[in-house]
Amino acid sequence: MGKREVIAEKPRYIKLNTRDNVAIVVNDFGLPVGTRFPCGLELRSFVPQGHKAALVDIEEGAPILRYGETIGYAAAPIKAGEWVDEARIRMPDAPSLDSLEIATAVPAPQPPLEGYTFEGFRNADGSVGTKNILGISTSVQCVRGTLEYAVKRIRAELLPKYPNVDDVVPVTHAYGCGVAINAPDAVVPIRTLQNIALNPNFGGEILVVGLGCEKLAPERLVPEGISDAIVRMQDEAFEGFGAIVDGIMAKADARLAVLNTRRRETCPASDLVIGLQCGGSDAFSGVTANPAVGFAADLLVRAGATVMFSEVTEVRDAIQLLTRRAINEDVGRALVREMAWYDAYLARGGADRSANTTPGNKKGGLANIVEKSLGSIVKSGSSPIAGVLAPGEKARQKGMLFAATPASDFICGTLQLASGMTLQVFTTGRGTPYGLAAAPVIKVATRSDLATGEMTIEETGWELFRLILDVASGRTKVWSERWGIHNDLTLFNPAPVT
């Protein structure tokens, strides 16, 4: 064997805005003290990959700027070339919600994109699914075990008879009993369950399994006009566990037969409902993956689709940039309303927005929630914010929407499904096995440790746009589906538990 040639990588950093006084180190494993950049900057300390180095001397109390925005203030004097880690940054107060500019910088409409289509499953209500799934909901957590046993048998014994049905998915949760069912905030979990059952990927074939003594009556999860959609386990007609399972299977069989008649048909891209989310974020999220997703999101909006971004605590510190893009005063005020609601929710729990940033985020170079937020909102692209959804509310308009959710990956995904999302794009810097059984999840990596390639943001955005159409059409399977990795749905329940 010949000797392997070792080529030293030139030191590199990324500065995103001319106003920035810090930059993030690109090189794998970081850079040691004494490293000199082509611009003449010399590192005074080791700086890990993705972490910030001061480009100039920063006085105590002076703003630290990244993305052209203040991410904090220097807790003590910082010399040019020093590592600007979390301990050296004093986090600023969140932007006041009382003095925000609203609809003052509404982006001009971009030229429409016409002629783009996908192969989807059209429903009677006009919505279009990207998958053909039988979803079976539960009205209370204690029936979960029985339903999951029944689903195993349905998949083994019934599903092979219906080759046009992709899967059977149990919509299980920890709710329904021992809860303050009439508390004002109980509207959130109840609305979420009602709307998940209506997700376009479930084809309108509603089936609910309940117990019979729970507070959340199964009838509340069934739309008006749909009969024979409930299996109540305490029903006197059932004699034992086997009979209950047989009852679930019989109703499932009838619905599978209907779903099996569905076929994909050519639909305009405007029928897509796409969710955007990030998890395991790092300092590169706002540099590579999120800008590429934002470019693709703008393409989707131009094609007439519905696109939603979420995670309140990950936009709260950049809300001043979003209210300006609100298409009108009402939308801007709705953004403020959701921020204020979540501020109060966190305060009731004795927490604040700083609780969001995870150890993995910090290891990846994100010093605080302000820096994380500025990178997170880039997923929304540059389109006007056309609407705002309360948690679990169904989307009823096109364009770029803010769907208010917690930042938890699993709760966000659940709420976006309730809002009608049929395909999700998920960016990650640290890596995550996150996936959804009810909708395809396309992963977008932020750095070369997870994925390699050399393309511009625009080229990647176009590639992602085309991939979305292929996945929505069933022509391409995402990796979480190939491996069968799916997370449980997780309800957001801000109401009291009795």
Side-chain angles (χ1 to χ4, degrees):
M1 286 180 65
K3 292 183 179 179
R4 180 179 177 183
E5 184 180 1
V6 178
I7 301 175
E9 185 182 11
K10 293 180 179 179
R12 294 178 294 156
Y13 66 66
I14 295 175
K15 177 183 176 180
L16 291 171
N17 188 285
T18 56
R19 298 182 62 220
D20 292 355
N21 56 10
V22 297
I24 61 170
V25 166
V26 173
N27 301 72
D28 293 342
F29 312 114
L31 292 172
V33 62
T35 298
R36 183 177 291 274
F37 293 93
C39 65
L41 177 70
E42 183 174 331
L43 292 184
R44 295 172 181 263
S45 58
F46 168 74
V47 181
Q49 184 191 45
H51 287 247
K52 291 168 288 298
L55 299 176
V56 297
D57 291 346
I58 304 173
E59 297 179 358
E60 181 177 353
I64 296 171
L65 301 170
R66 188 177 178 221
Y67 299 104
E69 300 288 334
T70 299
I71 65 170
Y73 299 94
I78 302 172
K79 292 287 188 181
E82 290 184 336
W83 179 11
V84 186
D85 64 1
E86 176 190 3
R88 309 192 76 174
I89 302 175
R90 176 170 57 82
M91 194 166 75
D93 294 334
S96 170
L97 298 177
D98 298 326
S99 55
L100 294 171
E101 294 181 18
I102 293 179
T104 57
V106 184
Q110 298 184 56
L113 275 183
E114 299 176 345
Y116 287 93
T117 63
F118 71 104
E119 303 302 309
F121 295 97
R122 188 168 295 283
N123 299 312
D125 63 0
S127 66
V128 178
T130 63
K131 295 182 74 67
N132 188 24
I133 296 171
L134 173 61
I136 306 179
S137 299
T138 57
S139 61
V140 64
Q141 63 265 44
C142 55
V143 304
R144 173 176 178 166
T146 301
L147 175 57
E148 289 182 341
Y149 177 85
V151 167
K152 287 181 182 178
R153 286 192 55 189
I154 293 168
R155 286 173 175 160
E157 300 172 27
L158 300 182
L159 200 55
K161 298 192 303 180
Y162 304 109
N164 296 319
V165 181
D166 294 317
D167 199 2
V168 180
V169 173
V171 181
T172 58
H173 53 86
Y175 193 72
C177 196
V179 293
I181 204 77
N182 295 317
D185 288 340
V187 66
V188 174
I190 296 172
R191 176 173 62 207
T192 300
L193 289 172
Q194 290 170 335
N195 286 338
I196 284 178
L198 301 176
N199 186 280
N201 287 352
F202 291 154
E205 291 301 310
I206 309 295
L207 180 55
V208 179
V209 176
L211 185 60
C213 58
E214 62 269 33
K215 288 185 177 181
L216 181 60
E219 288 79 5
R220 297 186 67 172
L221 304 182
V222 177
E224 291 185 14
I226 297 180
S227 59
D228 193 38
I230 296 170
V231 177
R232 191 176 283 100
M233 289 173 55
Q234 291 177 344
D235 194 308
E236 293 180 1
F238 292 127
E239 295 183 0
F241 176 77
I244 294 171
V245 172
D246 288 344
I248 296 172
M249 293 184 67
K251 288 185 180 292
D253 195 25
R255 284 156 179 78
L256 287 168
V258 174
L259 292 173
N260 197 55
T261 64
R262 304 173 79 210
R263 298 293 185 275
R264 290 186 183 271
E265 59 184 272
T266 302
C267 302
S270 57
D271 285 329
L272 287 169
V273 183
I274 305 297
L276 310 178
Q277 194 187 170
C278 52
S281 301
D282 65 2
F284 294 108
S285 293
V287 179
T288 56
N290 287 350
V293 170
F295 189 91
D298 285 340
L299 296 177
L300 288 162
V301 170
R302 289 171 59 190
T306 300
V307 186
M308 63 183 79
F309 70 109
S310 297
E311 302 172 284
V312 173
T313 54
E314 295 187 11
V315 307
R316 175 65 176 88
D317 280 275
I319 190 62
Q320 73 278 9
L321 304 178
L322 296 177
T323 54
R324 297 172 194 166
R325 285 169 52 194
I327 203 164
N328 55 40
E329 184 82 11
D330 288 343
V331 171
R333 293 298 172 197
L335 278 168
V336 172
R337 176 196 72 210
E338 294 302 331
M339 299 301 111
W341 186 94
Y342 216 85
D343 282 355
Y345 168 72
L346 290 175
R348 289 198 305 271
D352 64 25
R353 72 204 201 283
S354 67
N356 174 292
T357 320
T358 68
N361 295 153
K362 295 175 182 179
K363 187 174 181 181
L366 294 174
N368 57 32
I369 188 56
V370 183
E371 185 178 9
K372 186 177 181 181
S373 295
L374 290 166
S376 176
I377 66 166
V378 182
K379 296 193 303 295
S380 66
S382 60
S383 301
I385 310 300
V388 176
L389 304 175
E393 185 179 3
K394 188 175 178 63
R396 302 185 187 280
Q397 65 188 111
K398 306 290 187 179
M400 178 59 65
L401 311 180
F402 178 70
T405 76
S408 161
D409 297 346
F410 319 111
I411 298 177
C412 177
T414 301
L415 288 170
Q416 287 192 350
L417 285 171
S419 293
M421 175 264 289
T422 57
L423 183 152
Q424 190 178 60
V425 179
F426 189 105
T427 71
T428 182
R430 308 293 295 170
T432 169
Y434 171 91
L436 296 171
V441 179
I442 296 174
K443 296 283 183 60
V444 182
T446 72
R447 59 198 177 103
S448 57
D449 281 6
L450 299 179
T452 57
E454 293 185 7
M455 289 193 297
T456 66
I457 294 296
E458 293 79 8
E459 289 169 339
T460 306
W462 271 107
E463 184 178 88
L464 177 58
F465 174 72
R466 296 187 179 97
L467 177 61
I468 288 169
L469 297 179
D470 281 343
V471 172
S473 300
R475 292 189 291 266
T476 300
K477 270 195 171 187
V478 298
W479 281 103
S480 59
E481 291 184 337
R482 296 185 196 186
W483 290 110
I485 298 174
H486 305 129
N487 297 102
D488 290 340
L489 297 182
T490 307
L491 287 185
F492 179 38
N493 177 29
V497 175
T498 60

